[in-house]
């Protein structure tokens, strides 16, 4: 009855039968699956996949996870938690909400946080309009896969004016299983008018196992809402990681996102943002470090659909060994989006001759009264700087590391919490050792 | 302490130092004066181990070691310090972190233990006072956005902290107004000691009003053509560098 899926991906959707899905959701899954079968696989001839091959991913023959992993104890998180980082915490293990590992305590009134699967069990109607609310026409191949396999994830819903008093940490923990598995969590975040929150999303693993994560997050910010969002992709170095992030912003809302990408052997991140109301602001910061055997691929699609909004896209990359990265950023300013202000920048530090970066910032501007800029740099450590440090007794390796951390510091410093900044700086430092 | 003999060095195919001799004993302050292009900066750079120079002949021995064999950090760990003519800005590299890394590298090389946070901070504050520098400097990135005077004071501040055996001040006076020059010179004078030697490289005699040298050398066309006491600096000031050509022609 189902049309066959693409070779290499045919086992991504052996979705569990016990999920309490309402009819409308089953129908959406079926529709997504039908569209998938009809769509060709992304190919290097597609502009969005020009530099990134799916070959390695397809070869793995990942299969969907059908059983929740119940054997984990809270102490298994000891190596994962960041000492000194105080937050509400939601833990997903292999894509499945793990209430026994999560710590939500007393959320403020009007704040609802929970697992998607549970939510669908008791209040499915509230999600009907939320699911796929953000995506417009920009639905990617792998986001469709996520919808077709939709099962669990995080839901955050803040009522009008509610402020989360502590950050909400989402730990997406992957644990290697006997065969390579794919998890496809779907996260839904909705901030009603004037609500404020900080969300820290961390992708981590126990051990260096092989698995795939294909996550989608949809975020709706109603007027005057403020979301600070930090994403730390620190997957196993053998993992594959895909993310589709979709944001819509109403009038006067503020979004500030920091993307840190250190892990995975192959990672593809699509960040899509759209202004729906005027005087909104969207800041996207990013730091990636790609070393031997790693490909980190970022695609930004920022749409100024209405006037008077401001966006800033600032991504920095460190490339070592035979690491590869792609930065493909696009800012679209529609005809009516006068007084748009957009600044895109991508700077890269190449630490080896074998590393590769493909960078392509683009502005597409159809309005005539705008302030837009973009810039790219690809450089190396300045010999002057290196000599200065060495002349003070610091050996060459440490001096290089200090300069790289200095370069990365501009982004790391945007993280809101001191413990988090230290955690990331240390992880970057270790990778450069 | 430092013994340079017959030193010849090239930049690319061009010979800049053409057989330079210099002996610096413990506690001595030597001024090296010379016109632009005489090889002053090349000498500073070759001694401190900067890339881009090839030594074709001669030797430089420091504390009994062949200086030219050593990496720049090894020279620093041995007690050599270069105050840069153009201190380099290091955006994103925090000053405190930098100073700590430098001090601990040098202490480690001397066989001393690393300083704990409290002792380190106490030491830093003490040294900041010598250079009339503000605490806020510690929170900033190294030299980033510093004024010319701040950069030069920061060099001498680092010297105070690292306590070298031999400091080379490469045109430390360039770009300083008279007040900044006085502060820098006071800092340098405060660091004079019977164990610490200095080479003060300068184009102008002005700096030597504040830092009194024991010896003055005139560097021209890659060689030291005259050496004397501090009165030689005054003679240079009066005659300018023009007489060198006459001297060399003779």
């Amino acid at each position: 009855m189902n049309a066959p899926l693409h070779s290499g991906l045919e086992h991504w959707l052996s979705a569990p039968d016990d999920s309490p899905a309402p009819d409308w959701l089953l129908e959406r899954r079926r529709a997504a699956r039908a569209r998938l079968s009809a769509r060709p696989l992304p190919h290097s001839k597609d502009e969005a996949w020009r530099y990134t091959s799916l070959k390695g991913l397809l070869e793995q023959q990942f299969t969907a996870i059908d059983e929740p992993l119940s054997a984990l104890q809270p102490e298994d998180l000891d190596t994962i938690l960041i000492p000194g980082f105080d937050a509400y915490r939601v833990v997903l293990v292999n894509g499945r909400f793990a209430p026994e590992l999560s710590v939500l305590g007393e959320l403020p009134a009007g704040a609802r946080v929970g697992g998607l699967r549970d939510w669908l069990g008791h209040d499915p109607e509230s999600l009907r309009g939320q699911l796929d609310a953000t995506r417009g026409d920009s639905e990617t191949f792998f986001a469709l896969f996520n919808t077709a396999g939709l099962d669990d994830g995080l839901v955050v819903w803040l009522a009008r004016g509610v402020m989360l008093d502590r950050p909400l940490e989402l730990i997406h923990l992957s644990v290697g299983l006997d065969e390579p598995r794919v998890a496809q969590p779907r996260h839904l975040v909705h901030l009603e008018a004037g609500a404020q929150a900080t969300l820290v999303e961390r992708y981590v693993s126990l051990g260096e196992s092989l698995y795939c994560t294909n996550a989608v997050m949809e975020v709706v910010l109603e007027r005057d809402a403020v979301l600070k969002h930090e994403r730390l992709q620190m997957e196993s170095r053998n993992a594959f990681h895909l993310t589709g992030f979709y944001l819509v912003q109403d009038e006067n809302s503020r979004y500030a996102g920091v993307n840190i990408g250190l892990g995975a052997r192959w990672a593809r991140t699509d960040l899509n943002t759209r202004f729906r109301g005027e005087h909104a602001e969207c800041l996207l910061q990013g730091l990636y470090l790609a070393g031997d055997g790693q490909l980190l691929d970022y695609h930004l699609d920022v749409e100024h659909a209405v006037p008077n909004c401001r966006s800033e896209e600032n991504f920095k990359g460190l490339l070592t060994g035979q690491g590869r990265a792609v930065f493909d950023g696009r800012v679209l300013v529609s005809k009516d989006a006068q007084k748009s202000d957009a600044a895109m920048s991508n700077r890269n530090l190449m630490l080896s001759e074998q590393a590769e970066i493909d960078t392509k910032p683009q502005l597409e501007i159809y309005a005539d009264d705008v302030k837009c800029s973009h810039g790219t740099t690809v450089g190396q450590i300045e010999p002057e700087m290196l000599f200065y440090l060495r002349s003070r007794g610091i050996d060459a390796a440490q001096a290089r590391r200090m300069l790289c951390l200095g370069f990365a510091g501009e982004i790391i410093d945007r993280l809101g919490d001191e413990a988090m900044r230290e955690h990331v700086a240390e992880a970057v430092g270790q990778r450069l050792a | 302490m430092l013994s340079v003999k017959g030193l010849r060095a090239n930049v690319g195919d061009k010979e800049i130092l053409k057989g330079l001799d210099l002996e610096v004993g413990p506690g001595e302050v030597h001024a090296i004066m010379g016109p632009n292009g005489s090889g002053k900066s090349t000498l500073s750079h070759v001694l401190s181990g900067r890339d881009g120079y090839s030594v074709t002949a001669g030797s430089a021995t420091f504390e009994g070691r062949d200086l030219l064999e050593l990496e720049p950090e090894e020279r620093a760990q041995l007690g050599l310090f270069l105050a840069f003519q153009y201190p380099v800005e290091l955006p994103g590299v925090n000053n405190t972190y930098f100073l700590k890394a430098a001090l601990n590298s040098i202490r480690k090389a001397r066989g001393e233990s690393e300083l704990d946070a409290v002792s380190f901070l106490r030491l830093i504050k003490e040294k900041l006072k010598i250079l009339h520098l503000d605490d806020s400097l510690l929170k900033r990135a190294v030299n980033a956005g510093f004024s010319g005077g701040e950069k030069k004071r920061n060099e001498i501040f680092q010297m105070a902290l690292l306590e070298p055996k031999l400091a080379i001040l490469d045109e430390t006076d360039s770009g300083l107004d008279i007040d900044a020059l006085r502060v820098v010179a006071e800092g340098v004078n405060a660091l004079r000691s019977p164990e610490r030697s200095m080479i003060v490289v300068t184009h102008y005699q002005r700096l030597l009003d504040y830092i009194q040298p024991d010896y003055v050398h005139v560097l021209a066309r890659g060689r030291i053509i005259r050496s004397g006491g501090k009165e030689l600096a005054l003679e240079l000031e009066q005659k300018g560098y023009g007489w060198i050509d006459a001297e060399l022609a003779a």
Side-chain angles (χ1 to χ4, degrees), chain B residues 124-166:
Chain B
I124 289 242
K125 300 217 159 157
E126 178 195 313
K127 305 292 184 187
L128 279 170
K129 271 192 215 129
I130 302 177
L131 275 302
H132 304 259
L133 281 164
D134 194 79
D135 281 13
S136 63
L137 175 105
L138 299 172
K139 295 202 176 76
R140 295 163 68 182
V142 181
N143 293 327
F146 285 28
S147 70
E150 279 179 316
K151 281 181 184 168
K152 294 295 175 80
R153 274 192 282 164
N154 195 26
E155 293 294 290
I156 306 305
F157 164 59
Q158 291 171 34
M159 172 177 152
L161 184 70
L162 300 178
E163 301 184 318
K165 293 190 187 114
L166 172 65

Side-chain angles (χ1 to χ4, degrees), chain B residues 3-21:
Chain B
S3 172
V4 180
K5 291 201 170 85
L7 189 65
R8 290 176 174 267
N10 289 10
V11 175
D13 289 337
K14 194 167 182 237
E15 186 168 63
I16 309 287
L17 299 183
K18 303 174 179 174
L20 187 138
D21 299 298

Side-chain angles (χ1 to χ4, degrees), chain A residues 119-336:
Chain A
W119 202 297
L120 287 167
H122 61 75
D123 186 14
E125 276 312 299
S126 64
L127 297 183
R128 192 170 181 162
Q130 175 71 22
L131 193 68
D132 290 337
T134 57
R135 301 236 299 274
D137 302 326
S138 57
E139 191 171 52
T140 67
F141 183 83
F142 286 97
L144 262 183
F145 245 112
N146 181 285
T147 302
L150 194 135
D151 178 37
D152 210 345
L154 167 77
V155 184
V156 179
W157 199 296
L158 299 190
R160 213 182 161 80
V162 170
M163 294 186 197
L164 269 195
D165 52 337
R166 283 187 284 157
L168 171 62
E169 181 182 25
L170 167 62
I171 296 181
H172 191 283
L173 176 64
S174 291
V175 182
L177 299 172
D178 297 341
E179 48 182 314
R181 299 294 188 131
V182 53
Q184 305 202 70
R186 177 65 148 262
H187 309 304
L188 303 173
V189 178
H190 192 120
L191 270 56
E192 291 183 14
Q196 297 192 12
T198 296
L199 173 64
V200 176
E201 205 186 344
R202 296 173 59 209
Y203 289 83
V204 292
S205 68
L206 287 180
E208 291 292 303
S209 51
L210 167 65
Y211 58 84
C212 179
T213 306
N214 178 32
V216 169
M217 177 177 277
E218 296 186 77
V219 177
V220 175
L221 300 184
E222 291 189 24
R223 60 177 305 160
D224 302 318
V226 178
L227 179 65
K228 291 184 180 159
H229 181 200
E230 298 169 3
R231 263 192 108 253
L232 275 58
Q233 189 275 93
M234 293 167 78
E235 302 266 30
S236 147
R237 282 291 294 279
N238 291 308
F240 291 75
H241 177 94
L242 290 136
T243 293
F245 174 78
Y246 298 87
L247 167 69
V248 291
Q249 289 187 250
D250 289 341
E251 193 178 339
N252 206 36
S253 62
R254 302 268 176 274
Y255 172 85
V258 183
N259 280 272
I260 308 285
L262 302 177
R265 88 157 77 150
W266 185 100
R268 164 73 179 223
T269 304
D270 283 273
L271 305 175
N272 303 273
T273 75
R274 188 155 51 93
F275 293 117
R276 209 159 58 174
E278 295 188 31
H279 302 287
E281 180 182 76
C282 177
L283 309 178
L284 294 169
Q285 312 273 338
L287 170 70
Y288 48 86
L289 193 171
D292 279 337
Q294 265 188 309
L295 167 71
L296 304 179
D297 179 0
Y298 289 84
H299 286 251
L300 273 60
D301 217 320
V302 176
E303 192 183 342
H304 284 256
V306 296
N308 292 310
C309 290
R310 177 170 177 267
S311 76
E312 188 184 303
E313 301 77 26
N314 180 23
F315 274 65
K316 294 180 102 170
L318 287 163
L319 291 110
T320 72
Q322 298 186 37
R324 282 189 59 210
V326 179
F327 178 85
D328 182 359
R330 173 173 168 264
V331 176
L332 172 68
V333 181
S334 312
K335 192 159 68 66
D336 300 327

Side-chain angles (χ1 to χ4, degrees), chain A residues 383-398 402-403 405-407 409-410, chain B residues 48-50 71-73 76-77 81-82 84 89-90 92-93 98 101-102 105-106 143 155 158:
Chain A
E384 286 276 301
M385 295 183 178
L386 197 59
F387 176 65
Y388 190 76
L389 289 170
R390 295 179 71 189
S391 78
R392 298 308 183 238
I394 298 166
D395 70 58
Q398 191 186 355
M402 285 171 74
L403 292 172
L405 277 169
F407 175 82
E410 181 193 347
Chain B
S48 53
R50 190 192 195 116
E71 297 292 337
E73 57 268 35
Q77 290 163 3
F81 181 89
L82 171 67
F84 282 57
E89 299 198 9
L90 306 178
V93 179
F98 159 69
S105 298
I106 286 173
N143 293 327
E155 293 294 290
Q158 291 171 34

Side-chain angles (χ1 to χ4, degrees), chain B residues 4-237:
Chain B
V4 180
K5 291 201 170 85
L7 189 65
R8 290 176 174 267
N10 289 10
V11 175
D13 289 337
K14 194 167 182 237
E15 186 168 63
I16 309 287
L17 299 183
K18 303 174 179 174
L20 187 138
D21 299 298
L22 181 66
E23 295 288 333
V24 179
E28 295 174 0
V29 174
H30 291 245
I32 294 186
M33 302 184 68
N36 291 330
S38 58
K40 298 194 299 291
S41 281
T42 299
L43 176 63
S44 305
H45 293 160
V46 168
L47 291 179
S48 53
R50 190 192 195 116
D51 276 348
Y53 302 89
S54 50
V55 173
T56 54
S59 66
T61 317
F62 175 58
E63 294 282 281
R65 299 277 298 271
D66 178 357
L67 199 58
L68 304 175
E69 285 286 297
L70 302 175
E71 297 292 337
E73 57 268 35
E74 294 172 318
R75 303 180 195 204
Q77 290 163 3
L78 210 57
L80 184 75
F81 181 89
L82 171 67
F84 282 57
Q85 181 179 6
Y86 304 108
V88 181
E89 299 198 9
L90 306 178
V93 179
N94 171 272
N95 225 333
T96 306
Y97 177 54
F98 159 69
L99 295 168
K100 203 169 183 174
L103 183 64
N104 281 332
S105 298
I106 286 173
R107 286 179 66 93
K108 212 168 126 194
R110 287 184 197 148
E112 296 167 1
S113 63
E114 296 195 352
L115 276 190
D116 63 73
V118 177
S119 324
F120 174 72
L121 226 74
R122 195 185 302 131
L123 181 65
I124 289 242
K125 300 217 159 157
E126 178 195 313
K127 305 292 184 187
L128 279 170
K129 271 192 215 129
I130 302 177
L131 275 302
H132 304 259
L133 281 164
D134 194 79
D135 281 13
S136 63
L137 175 105
L138 299 172
K139 295 202 176 76
R140 295 163 68 182
V142 181
N143 293 327
F146 285 28
S147 70
E150 279 179 316
K151 281 181 184 168
K152 294 295 175 80
R153 274 192 282 164
N154 195 26
E155 293 294 290
I156 306 305
F157 164 59
Q158 291 171 34
M159 172 177 152
L161 184 70
L162 300 178
E163 301 184 318
K165 293 190 187 114
L166 172 65
I168 303 170
L169 311 182
D170 188 7
E171 306 216 22
T172 293
D173 51 335
S174 68
L176 290 186
D177 62 32
I178 197 73
D179 292 329
L181 182 68
R182 196 173 287 135
V183 173
V184 165
E186 278 169 15
V188 171
N189 286 329
L191 296 172
R192 286 180 82 152
S193 88
E195 296 82 40
R196 183 169 297 128
S197 315
M198 298 188 192
I199 298 174
V200 180
V201 176
T202 182
H203 185 96
Y204 302 103
Q205 190 268 339
R206 188 180 69 158
L207 179 65
L208 305 180
D209 288 342
Y210 299 93
I211 304 173
Q212 301 257 325
D214 301 310
Y215 302 94
V216 174
H217 310 277
V218 180
L219 181 63
R221 299 188 192 166
R223 283 189 301 121
I224 285 175
I225 57 162
R226 258 181 86 178
S227 295
K230 56 186 173 233
E231 68 286 349
L232 181 56
L234 293 170
E235 192 184 337
L236 268 179
E237 180 78 357

